[in-house]
Amino acid sequence: DMHPHGCEEALPEVEEPVNCYSCGSAAATYSATQLAKGAEGRCKDCVAAGRKDRFPSAGLMPSAGKVLMQAVSNYDVDAVRAVLQQGADPNYVRQNEVYDMRRGHVETWLEDGQPAPEHDPDHHQPTTPLKMVGFRISDCMLGDEELRSFGAIAKLLLKAGADPGPAVEIMNNRYGPLADDPDATPFSEVQKIITDAFEKAKGARAAKP
């Protein structure tokens, strides 16, 4: 094993229930140095093989859902449109993270290797693309142009099939319910786009026999 600064150092081997960052194995051996460094939790075999890719998308770009979430957060209308056209799920749920004393915040995975979704039963966190819209519009550094971009993004997500319910919940939690006759501002327009879609969907469900 190598010390973080490059000098050789005899270190004990430890068995830890930590999934390898590259191969996903939870039954691998990690050196104390790797865990102390974080080293993205790569097991000895992956370190020896020089693997630096990310399980389970080894050698691939980040998942379409993550790309979509980043594009929404950055109010990049063109990027959101493009990733949706490429098949990104408009109802993608952000991956769950846990805090590990050695590695800090790490993502968690299901037994089949799929990302474990983050649970947010009270709708306080931006765990989906449309919830991200409802969350981000509170940024006091945003101007009218950026808020209009979020309105355009909300329309794209809704057209692609995004569920407006969780986004309405997060907005209600943060800003209170939308007034019946809100002032026409770029901020309230984003709220109205999502709220109107929610009310329309609710009405359609109620009309079903």
Side-chain angles (χ1 to χ4, degrees):
D1 293 323
M2 297 295 290
H3 188 272
H5 298 296
C7 57
E8 293 186 4
E9 181 176 300
L11 291 165
E13 301 299 333
V14 292
E15 294 290 343
E16 292 286 340
V18 180
N19 288 63
C20 174
Y21 184 88
S22 290
C23 71
S25 173
T29 301
Y30 301 82
S31 72
T33 293
Q34 285 170 270
L35 292 172
K37 287 172 61 181
E40 301 295 4
R42 290 186 180 88
C43 70
K44 292 184 68 181
D45 291 340
C46 286
V47 171
R51 287 189 61 175
K52 296 182 179 180
D53 47 80
R54 179 69 174 97
F55 171 84
S57 53
L60 302 178
M61 295 294 289
S63 72
K66 287 185 179 180
V67 174
L68 177 59
M69 289 288 280
Q70 189 63 48
V72 172
S73 182
N74 292 338
Y75 46 89
D76 189 332
V77 179
D78 290 338
V80 170
R81 181 183 295 109
V83 74
L84 286 173
Q85 289 174 345
Q86 292 166 10
D89 182 2
N91 292 301
Y92 167 83
V93 180
R94 189 170 63 184
Q95 189 170 358
N96 187 54
E97 291 187 353
V98 297
Y99 184 77
D100 180 84
M101 291 295 290
R102 294 183 175 90
R103 296 186 294 159
H105 291 281
V106 294
E107 296 171 328
T108 61
W109 306 86
L110 301 175
E111 290 183 0
D112 62 0
Q114 295 301 308
E118 181 177 337
H119 298 289
D120 184 35
D122 297 322
H123 300 294
H124 291 297
Q125 298 299 321
T127 54
T128 70
L130 201 55
K131 287 173 74 175
M132 179 65 79
V133 172
F135 182 88
R136 286 283 283 117
I137 59 173
S138 64
D139 187 341
C140 64
M141 300 299 292
L142 296 175
D144 288 354
E145 182 178 350
E146 289 83 5
L147 289 169
R148 291 191 185 97
S149 293
F150 276 118
I153 287 170
K155 291 178 180 179
L156 287 172
L157 292 169
L158 290 164
K159 184 178 180 180
D163 180 4
V168 168
E169 290 285 350
I170 198 172
M171 292 191 300
N172 287 350
N173 286 334
R174 293 176 67 82
Y175 324 122
L178 184 66
D180 292 336
D181 187 22
D183 294 333
T185 66
F187 178 90
S188 66
E189 181 60 25
V190 178
Q191 286 185 281
K192 190 173 188 302
I193 289 168
I194 299 173
T195 302
D196 285 353
F198 173 70
E199 294 297 334
K200 182 178 179 180
K202 187 168 66 173
R205 288 194 300 270
K208 288 183 178 180

